[in-house]
Amino acid sequence: MDVDELELLQEEREEQPIRYLPKVLNGGISGIVGVSCVFPMDLVKTRLQNQKGTAAYNGIIDCFRKSWHAGAPGKFNQIKGMYQGASVNVFLITPEKAIKLVANDFFRHALMKDHAERLSTPRGMLAGAAAGFCQVTITTPMELLKIRMQQSKEKIKATRLIWDLLTKDGGITALYKGLAPTMARDVTFSALYFPLFAYLDGLGPRKKDDSEAIKVNVFFS
């Protein structure tokens, strides 16, 4: 790449600010779709992890079957029972994904060296880790509320649970119980995920105008 091309690349970066709204919309929609698809398995995972004393469930299939039949009579109620606690995820998944994706783009842009075509792997990992760090502001209370609702034997509303945590269990800090392990998980995940995705995405075939990778490659990446 010669000097003129480097100057043009720098000018294009300066003229094309990061578009945050598409990131927010994409993150929110994909997050809600993802929650809708995998939440029943998340419910099973949580109940298996939190067994105490005599095991109530004998593996994944048994837990799924018992959770299904524990719902009120009728298929609709049984399906609804498998989504116990999902309201918190659906409500908070959009800001969570928005923060994560926007923060990653912001830090990648900030850490990009002048005239560089790609962000280096260490800098990409640093950007991803910073995005994961920002994400836990939403993830930690979301996970706490979701798990409390999944484990509750009674149908409890998220608003009531939040009120009890704020007034009886220590205030705002009660919403951030488990912050350290959540941060360890999400910061590490994002530090690996974002640069690895960018690397794999860059290896695949591009559209004819070389603007972006084809959708199949994005999916596999």
Side-chain angles (χ1 to χ4, degrees), residues 141 144 148 164-166 168-178:
L144 176 70
R148 292 282 181 93
D164 287 344
L165 287 167
L166 292 176
K168 299 177 182 178
D169 292 349
I172 192 70
T173 56
L175 290 171
Y176 285 89
K177 290 179 180 178

Side-chain angles (χ1 to χ4, degrees), residues 148-165:
R148 292 282 181 93
M149 293 176 72
Q150 285 177 332
Q151 285 296 99
S152 176
K153 294 181 180 180
E154 300 177 357
K155 301 286 179 152
I156 182 171
K157 291 185 177 181
T159 51
R160 174 62 184 277
L161 184 55
I162 293 171
W163 178 254
D164 287 344
L165 287 167

Side-chain angles (χ1 to χ4, degrees), residues 1 10 44 52 55 62 77 86 114 116 132 139 144 150 175 204 210:
M1 179 177 289
Q10 183 65 18
V44 169
K52 295 179 180 179
D62 183 60
N77 289 323
D114 291 344
T139 306
L144 176 70
Q150 285 177 332
L175 290 171
D210 202 37

